Amino acid sequence: MVMVTGDSAARAPVLLPAGALRRYPMEGLLARLLARLLDRRLADGVDPADGPLLVARAAQLARRRSRRGTAAQWGRILDEVRLRPKPLTHAVPVRTQQVADAAPELLGLVMRLRDELPVSPVGVAQARRLLVDATGPLFDRNAPRGDLRARISLILLELDRVAPISLQIE
């Protein structure tokens, strides 16, 4: 289960070395191979500067391509709920009411991931993790109503917890 707490937004800004991927080219490849594991660690609050693999993965998550891919996945979920898909599908159904309740926050998340401003890679990891967490409010029938909305609100706060632009990843 992904735990996103209100304390995460109060931590110090995420600082990653400039040119992180250039400094760690092999780690960048390994980070892609271990993306799921590293994303989980970042989403759970492990410091992105806690080792070369985490630095490399955090740099990947902060890039426009990764952000837009995550935004597209959340956009498809919003579309799926609006269009009411056919009942016979192999996909695990999302909790329609949770998504409907969180629609304004989800639209904000999609827009924030698509904008040009820097983001915290921890926030991107949390947004990605929530998409695949079978025990999270997106899929769990027993999740309290409003849980997805609350989690997305916390992720939006986390996305804004970034270092000054001059210290961002190149």
Side-chain angles (χ1 to χ4, degrees), residues 86-103:
K86 298 172 187 159
L88 296 176
T89 178
H90 294 295
V92 176
V94 297
R95 306 310 312 150
T96 306
Q97 190 62 54
Q98 289 276 8
V99 174
D101 290 348

Side-chain angles (χ1 to χ4, degrees), residues 3-167:
M3 296 302 292
V4 181
T5 65
D7 295 338
S8 65
R11 293 189 318 241
V14 173
L15 298 172
L16 292 173
L21 285 181
R22 278 183 283 151
R23 243 185 255 173
Y24 303 109
M26 197 55 139
E27 284 80 356
L29 177 61
L30 285 172
R32 286 202 189 286
L33 294 172
L34 300 171
R36 215 170 248 230
L37 170 71
L38 296 171
D39 287 359
R40 185 178 312 122
R41 291 189 66 208
L42 289 168
D44 288 344
V46 173
D47 184 354
D50 217 24
L53 287 178
L54 286 171
V55 168
R57 184 61 186 154
Q60 292 166 355
L61 289 172
R63 286 187 166 168
R64 185 177 305 164
R65 181 178 179 184
S66 176
R67 292 170 57 178
R68 288 199 174 159
T70 303
Q73 288 179 291
W74 280 109
R76 281 191 291 277
I77 287 172
L78 281 166
D79 290 344
E80 178 183 321
V81 168
R82 274 189 284 233
L83 300 174
R84 305 279 183 188
K86 298 172 187 159
L88 296 176
T89 178
H90 294 295
V92 176
V94 297
R95 306 310 312 150
T96 306
Q97 190 62 54
Q98 289 276 8
V99 174
D101 290 348
E105 287 80 8
L106 288 170
L107 285 171
L109 175 66
V110 169
M111 289 172 42
R112 180 65 177 94
L113 289 169
R114 288 182 179 159
D115 71 24
E116 299 297 322
L117 297 173
V119 295
S120 162
V122 173
V124 179
Q126 290 172 347
R128 291 171 62 95
R129 179 74 181 138
L130 203 50
L131 284 164
V132 298
D133 183 7
T135 63
L138 186 59
F139 301 107
D140 184 8
R141 294 176 185 264
N142 299 317
R145 187 168 180 178
D147 193 22
L148 181 62
R149 174 182 241 176
R151 297 240 191 135
I152 295 299
S153 294
L154 290 171
I155 289 169
L156 284 165
L157 289 173
E158 182 66 39
L159 285 169
D160 288 334
R161 194 180 62 79
V162 294
I165 292 173
S166 63
L167 297 175

